[in-house]
Amino acid sequence: MAFQVSPGVLVQETDLTNIVPAVSTSIAGGVIVSTKGPVDEITLVSSEKELVDVFGEPNGSTFEYFFTLANFLQYGNALRVVRPALAGLVNAVSSGSAILIKSTDDYLNNFSSGEANVGSWAARTPGTLGNNLKVSVCPNSTAFASAGSSNLINDASMAIGDTSFTIDDAGGDKIQVGDILEFGDASGNFDAAPSGHYYKITGISGSTVTIARFNPQTGVTETGGLRHAVVDNAQYKRYWEYYFQFSNAPSTSDDVSAAGGSNDELHIVVVDEDGGISGTAGTILETFEGLSQASDAKNSTGGSNFYADVIYADSNFIYWMDHEATLANAGSAKTGQTFDNTFTQTITTIATSLSGGVDGSSAFTPTNAELATAFDRFNDAENVDINLLIAGPSQTSADATGDTLATKVIDIAEQRKDIVAFISPARDDVVSKSGSDVSDPIKQTVNVKAFADGLSSSSYAVIDSGYKYMYDKYNDVFRFVPLCGDIAGLCARTDNVADSWFSPGGFNRGQIRGAVKLAFNPNQTQRDELYKARVNPVVTFPGQGTVLFGDKTAQAKPSAFDRINVRRLFITLEKAIATAAKFQLFEFNDEFTRAQFRNLVEPFLRDVQGRRGITDFSVVCDDTNNTGEVIDRNEFRADIFIKPARSINFIQLNFIATRTGVAFSEVVGA
């Protein structure tokens, strides 16, 4: 308090309006084996479309991982995803030995200064998908377009429909495959036929050139040869393959010009050369116009216009790795610098096809260790905010080996103690295959019980009964997919329509979406066996849909925490109150602070009680648990007693027939 020397009024404020903050309850985490996307890095996605955009469409090897996570997104809209680093996974590159660039952070830390020695470019994402990419660079106006008397046809018999002819110096410095040609006459007149028609060079062999018709409006190469005859010694104009994608030739940018530099601009095009990305070979994926070779060049808004920086910031498909050897002074400062290229050839466009990308682990078959490493990214409660951890497809049954993926996610949940892990049995436990009798429900029951029995007891885990059969719209087939993503999704949907302390099971909140059928549809007897083994059955009832028909955690010991709603209630309370309690740190452990804490927590618990999460509570935070010894150890203690609301698992209906004339009061309670 300020010290006053003379009389006056001192006004001070004490804020007692603090409240327990709302906390997230429906953010999920999971691992995806995919064709693209960052590796060993947590990525937040909010929809199935975004999942596809970042990690690619599923294939016959990756669909279980994809759809397990996509199914969660049918119910919730916050999913953190990690792609594991599979053995052998590398990015496609321009030359040399391929390397693994895991993510943008990895690139910035290890590759952004040209350290890799793999040529000019690398695919943005590791895997074979990058092998489809071609990067074409146009560094000057001559490369952009060229014409003149030196460009002469050397063929006396070029008739309508021809697709090949001879040309002066075809194998030298005049033209290259991919260029666009337009023909004139021997005097260089391009105002009449055969001008106005464009042709793409599809091949060069010695002096023989092969062409196909080209449509500049669509950028599509068409079938057919010459539309008009071309005379011997006729002149032609040559255009860069992507000439029609740009408004002007590369020249000198305004920023570099103001600094006394010149000829710094580049045009860059990224192409799906083989069609593996877009579905159509030759599709233009990205264009970049008027980028600068000057390391300090700026655009009109003051941002960097240096081509390496722009590619890093804006490209979805490539990383810059090094300057082309033919680019003069690339990467130099702009002041007084000439970037004009000195070439022996007329044609100076630079086209590079990327190669060497590998999907890893012999194409999408990860080891348990690789998956476990990816899941370890979620084992950081302080920095990674998730509430639901989706195990995805199990690699092996728990009765076959104790070192399973399911065990890993349970361990993470037990260590964090603020999430629930969702686990499905191994595929071979419930999905039939050639020569297998696993389609027998009795055998399936035995398998699933054995799987659950192999897992440790934990209130932080939920086990379901198997797989659902669903439509894969990306490949036009039906597939069996683990249910654990759906069960986690039911919890997220419950949070949205009710609260985290409501059970996600049953006909009100437990409806499974997109299930054509179940691999294992247990009957009442089988459900009894599964429930005793801590497994929540998923059941299809005729006319009533497919439903999660249980709400048990994987805890073996009977207690309040063997129910999903109670475990998630306590996680919510603990997370929210712990967050609020941080503001008591470094304050004095006196009655004022303790009263302030009670006044913070009790209204919050009354609100939860009013929303049916608890039936009663008590907050003890006074000198009975904050004794002198506790205070002297610089500790602060609060005991919060909770009576959780319990979900109904069993309903008993007693129907009693009475004689006519008997009053109900006579028999009620008898």
Short mmCIF file of all heavy atoms in Angstrom, two decimals, residues 18-51:
data_model
loop_
_atom_site.label_atom_id
_atom_site.label_comp_id
_atom_site.label_asym_id
_atom_site.label_seq_id
_atom_site.Cartn_x
_atom_site.Cartn_y
_atom_site.Cartn_z
N ASN A 18 -12.58 -13.19 -10.80
CA ASN A 18 -12.01 -14.29 -11.56
C ASN A 18 -12.92 -15.51 -11.53
O ASN A 18 -13.61 -15.77 -10.54
CB ASN A 18 -10.64 -14.68 -11.02
CG ASN A 18 -9.64 -13.55 -11.12
OD1 ASN A 18 -9.67 -12.77 -12.06
ND2 ASN A 18 -8.76 -13.43 -10.13
N ILE A 19 -12.90 -16.26 -12.60
CA ILE A 19 -13.71 -17.47 -12.70
C ILE A 19 -12.84 -18.62 -13.16
O ILE A 19 -11.75 -18.43 -13.70
CB ILE A 19 -14.90 -17.28 -13.66
CG1 ILE A 19 -14.39 -16.96 -15.08
CG2 ILE A 19 -15.84 -16.21 -13.18
CD1 ILE A 19 -15.47 -16.95 -16.14
N VAL A 20 -13.32 -19.83 -12.95
CA VAL A 20 -12.66 -21.00 -13.50
C VAL A 20 -12.87 -21.01 -15.00
O VAL A 20 -14.01 -20.96 -15.46
CB VAL A 20 -13.21 -22.29 -12.87
CG1 VAL A 20 -12.60 -23.52 -13.54
CG2 VAL A 20 -12.94 -22.32 -11.38
N PRO A 21 -11.80 -21.05 -15.78
CA PRO A 21 -11.96 -20.92 -17.24
C PRO A 21 -12.54 -22.18 -17.87
O PRO A 21 -12.41 -23.28 -17.34
CB PRO A 21 -10.53 -20.69 -17.72
CG PRO A 21 -9.69 -21.42 -16.72
CD PRO A 21 -10.39 -21.23 -15.39
N ALA A 22 -13.19 -21.99 -19.01
CA ALA A 22 -13.62 -23.13 -19.81
C ALA A 22 -12.40 -23.81 -20.41
O ALA A 22 -11.43 -23.16 -20.79
CB ALA A 22 -14.57 -22.68 -20.91
N VAL A 23 -12.44 -25.12 -20.50
CA VAL A 23 -11.32 -25.88 -21.06
C VAL A 23 -11.84 -26.76 -22.18
O VAL A 23 -13.01 -27.13 -22.23
CB VAL A 23 -10.62 -26.74 -19.99
CG1 VAL A 23 -9.95 -25.86 -18.96
CG2 VAL A 23 -11.60 -27.70 -19.33
N SER A 24 -10.94 -27.09 -23.10
CA SER A 24 -11.31 -27.97 -24.20
C SER A 24 -11.58 -29.37 -23.69
O SER A 24 -10.93 -29.84 -22.75
CB SER A 24 -10.21 -27.99 -25.25
OG SER A 24 -9.02 -28.54 -24.72
N THR A 25 -12.54 -30.04 -24.30
CA THR A 25 -12.85 -31.42 -23.93
C THR A 25 -12.96 -32.34 -25.13
O THR A 25 -13.14 -33.54 -24.96
CB THR A 25 -14.18 -31.48 -23.15
OG1 THR A 25 -15.24 -30.91 -23.94
CG2 THR A 25 -14.08 -30.72 -21.84
N SER A 26 -12.89 -31.82 -26.34
CA SER A 26 -13.18 -32.64 -27.51
C SER A 26 -12.14 -32.53 -28.62
O SER A 26 -12.46 -32.68 -29.79
CB SER A 26 -14.57 -32.28 -28.06
OG SER A 26 -14.74 -30.93 -28.26
N ILE A 27 -10.87 -32.25 -28.27
CA ILE A 27 -9.79 -32.24 -29.25
C ILE A 27 -9.16 -33.63 -29.26
O ILE A 27 -8.74 -34.15 -28.24
CB ILE A 27 -8.73 -31.19 -28.93
CG1 ILE A 27 -9.35 -29.80 -28.84
CG2 ILE A 27 -7.64 -31.19 -29.99
CD1 ILE A 27 -8.38 -28.74 -28.36
N ALA A 28 -9.10 -34.25 -30.44
CA ALA A 28 -8.56 -35.59 -30.56
C ALA A 28 -7.16 -35.56 -31.16
O ALA A 28 -6.77 -34.60 -31.84
CB ALA A 28 -9.47 -36.46 -31.41
N GLY A 29 -6.42 -36.62 -30.90
CA GLY A 29 -5.11 -36.81 -31.51
C GLY A 29 -5.03 -38.20 -32.12
O GLY A 29 -5.64 -39.14 -31.63
N GLY A 30 -4.27 -38.33 -33.21
CA GLY A 30 -4.12 -39.62 -33.85
C GLY A 30 -2.95 -39.63 -34.82
O GLY A 30 -2.39 -38.58 -35.16
N VAL A 31 -2.58 -40.82 -35.26
CA VAL A 31 -1.45 -41.02 -36.17
C VAL A 31 -1.99 -41.50 -37.51
O VAL A 31 -2.89 -42.34 -37.56
CB VAL A 31 -0.46 -42.03 -35.58
CG1 VAL A 31 0.58 -42.46 -36.61
CG2 VAL A 31 0.23 -41.43 -34.36
N ILE A 32 -1.42 -40.97 -38.61
CA ILE A 32 -1.84 -41.36 -39.95
C ILE A 32 -0.64 -41.81 -40.78
O ILE A 32 0.39 -41.13 -40.80
CB ILE A 32 -2.60 -40.21 -40.66
CG1 ILE A 32 -3.23 -40.69 -41.96
CG2 ILE A 32 -1.68 -39.03 -40.91
CD1 ILE A 32 -4.22 -39.70 -42.55
N VAL A 33 -0.72 -42.94 -41.40
CA VAL A 33 0.23 -43.37 -42.42
C VAL A 33 -0.36 -42.93 -43.75
O VAL A 33 -1.47 -43.31 -44.10
CB VAL A 33 0.44 -44.89 -42.38
CG1 VAL A 33 1.38 -45.33 -43.50
CG2 VAL A 33 1.00 -45.31 -41.02
N SER A 34 0.38 -42.12 -44.51
CA SER A 34 -0.22 -41.43 -45.65
C SER A 34 0.78 -41.26 -46.78
O SER A 34 1.98 -41.53 -46.63
CB SER A 34 -0.74 -40.06 -45.22
OG SER A 34 0.32 -39.24 -44.72
N THR A 35 0.26 -40.78 -47.91
CA THR A 35 1.09 -40.57 -49.10
C THR A 35 1.80 -39.23 -49.09
O THR A 35 2.73 -39.02 -49.87
CB THR A 35 0.22 -40.66 -50.36
OG1 THR A 35 -0.84 -39.69 -50.30
CG2 THR A 35 -0.39 -42.05 -50.50
N LYS A 36 1.36 -38.32 -48.25
CA LYS A 36 2.00 -37.01 -48.19
C LYS A 36 1.77 -36.40 -46.83
O LYS A 36 1.13 -36.98 -45.96
CB LYS A 36 1.51 -36.10 -49.30
CG LYS A 36 0.06 -35.65 -49.18
CD LYS A 36 -0.28 -34.62 -50.26
CE LYS A 36 -1.62 -33.99 -50.07
NZ LYS A 36 -1.93 -32.91 -51.02
N GLY A 37 2.29 -35.18 -46.65
CA GLY A 37 2.10 -34.45 -45.42
C GLY A 37 3.36 -34.36 -44.59
O GLY A 37 4.31 -35.13 -44.77
N PRO A 38 3.41 -33.42 -43.65
CA PRO A 38 4.57 -33.28 -42.77
C PRO A 38 4.77 -34.53 -41.93
O PRO A 38 3.81 -35.24 -41.60
CB PRO A 38 4.22 -32.06 -41.91
CG PRO A 38 2.72 -31.96 -41.97
CD PRO A 38 2.33 -32.45 -43.32
N VAL A 39 6.01 -34.79 -41.57
CA VAL A 39 6.40 -35.98 -40.84
C VAL A 39 6.86 -35.60 -39.45
O VAL A 39 7.57 -34.61 -39.26
CB VAL A 39 7.51 -36.74 -41.59
CG1 VAL A 39 8.06 -37.90 -40.76
CG2 VAL A 39 7.00 -37.25 -42.93
N ASP A 40 6.43 -36.41 -38.46
CA ASP A 40 6.88 -36.23 -37.08
C ASP A 40 6.56 -34.83 -36.57
O ASP A 40 7.33 -34.24 -35.82
CB ASP A 40 8.37 -36.53 -36.97
CG ASP A 40 8.82 -36.78 -35.54
OD1 ASP A 40 8.00 -37.22 -34.73
OD2 ASP A 40 10.01 -36.51 -35.23
N GLU A 41 5.41 -34.32 -36.97
CA GLU A 41 4.98 -32.98 -36.58
C GLU A 41 3.48 -32.99 -36.39
O GLU A 41 2.74 -33.57 -37.18
CB GLU A 41 5.37 -31.96 -37.66
CG GLU A 41 4.94 -30.54 -37.40
CD GLU A 41 5.35 -29.61 -38.51
OE1 GLU A 41 4.63 -29.49 -39.51
OE2 GLU A 41 6.42 -28.99 -38.39
N ILE A 42 3.00 -32.36 -35.32
CA ILE A 42 1.57 -32.30 -35.06
C ILE A 42 0.92 -31.26 -35.97
O ILE A 42 1.34 -30.11 -36.01
CB ILE A 42 1.29 -31.97 -33.59
CG1 ILE A 42 1.80 -33.10 -32.69
CG2 ILE A 42 -0.20 -31.75 -33.35
CD1 ILE A 42 1.67 -32.83 -31.21
N THR A 43 -0.11 -31.69 -36.69
CA THR A 43 -0.85 -30.81 -37.60
C THR A 43 -2.31 -30.83 -37.21
O THR A 43 -2.91 -31.89 -37.05
CB THR A 43 -0.70 -31.28 -39.05
OG1 THR A 43 0.67 -31.34 -39.41
CG2 THR A 43 -1.44 -30.34 -40.00
N LEU A 44 -2.91 -29.65 -37.06
CA LEU A 44 -4.32 -29.54 -36.70
C LEU A 44 -5.18 -29.51 -37.96
O LEU A 44 -4.95 -28.71 -38.86
CB LEU A 44 -4.57 -28.27 -35.88
CG LEU A 44 -6.03 -28.01 -35.46
CD1 LEU A 44 -6.52 -29.09 -34.52
CD2 LEU A 44 -6.15 -26.63 -34.79
N VAL A 45 -6.16 -30.41 -38.05
CA VAL A 45 -7.12 -30.41 -39.15
C VAL A 45 -8.52 -30.36 -38.56
O VAL A 45 -8.77 -30.83 -37.45
CB VAL A 45 -6.96 -31.65 -40.06
CG1 VAL A 45 -5.59 -31.68 -40.71
CG2 VAL A 45 -7.21 -32.93 -39.29
N SER A 46 -9.45 -29.79 -39.33
CA SER A 46 -10.80 -29.57 -38.81
C SER A 46 -11.88 -30.24 -39.65
O SER A 46 -13.06 -30.12 -39.32
CB SER A 46 -11.09 -28.06 -38.71
OG SER A 46 -10.96 -27.44 -39.98
N SER A 47 -11.51 -30.91 -40.74
CA SER A 47 -12.51 -31.54 -41.60
C SER A 47 -11.84 -32.65 -42.40
O SER A 47 -10.61 -32.70 -42.52
CB SER A 47 -13.13 -30.51 -42.56
OG SER A 47 -12.16 -30.03 -43.48
N GLU A 48 -12.66 -33.51 -42.98
CA GLU A 48 -12.12 -34.57 -43.83
C GLU A 48 -11.44 -33.98 -45.06
O GLU A 48 -10.42 -34.49 -45.51
CB GLU A 48 -13.22 -35.53 -44.23
CG GLU A 48 -12.73 -36.71 -45.06
CD GLU A 48 -13.79 -37.75 -45.33
OE1 GLU A 48 -14.69 -37.94 -44.49
OE2 GLU A 48 -13.73 -38.42 -46.39
N LYS A 49 -12.01 -32.91 -45.62
CA LYS A 49 -11.39 -32.27 -46.77
C LYS A 49 -9.98 -31.78 -46.43
O LYS A 49 -9.04 -31.95 -47.22
CB LYS A 49 -12.23 -31.10 -47.26
CG LYS A 49 -11.65 -30.38 -48.49
CD LYS A 49 -12.47 -29.20 -48.91
CE LYS A 49 -11.88 -28.52 -50.14
NZ LYS A 49 -10.47 -28.10 -49.94
N GLU A 50 -9.85 -31.18 -45.27
CA GLU A 50 -8.54 -30.69 -44.85
C GLU A 50 -7.58 -31.86 -44.61
O GLU A 50 -6.39 -31.77 -44.90
CB GLU A 50 -8.67 -29.84 -43.60
CG GLU A 50 -7.43 -29.03 -43.27
CD GLU A 50 -7.67 -28.04 -42.15
OE1 GLU A 50 -8.84 -27.86 -41.73
OE2 GLU A 50 -6.69 -27.43 -41.67
N LEU A 51 -8.10 -32.97 -44.09
CA LEU A 51 -7.28 -34.17 -43.90
C LEU A 51 -6.74 -34.65 -45.24
O LEU A 51 -5.57 -35.03 -45.35
CB LEU A 51 -8.11 -35.25 -43.21
CG LEU A 51 -7.36 -36.51 -42.76
CD1 LEU A 51 -6.38 -36.21 -41.64
CD2 LEU A 51 -8.36 -37.59 -42.31
#
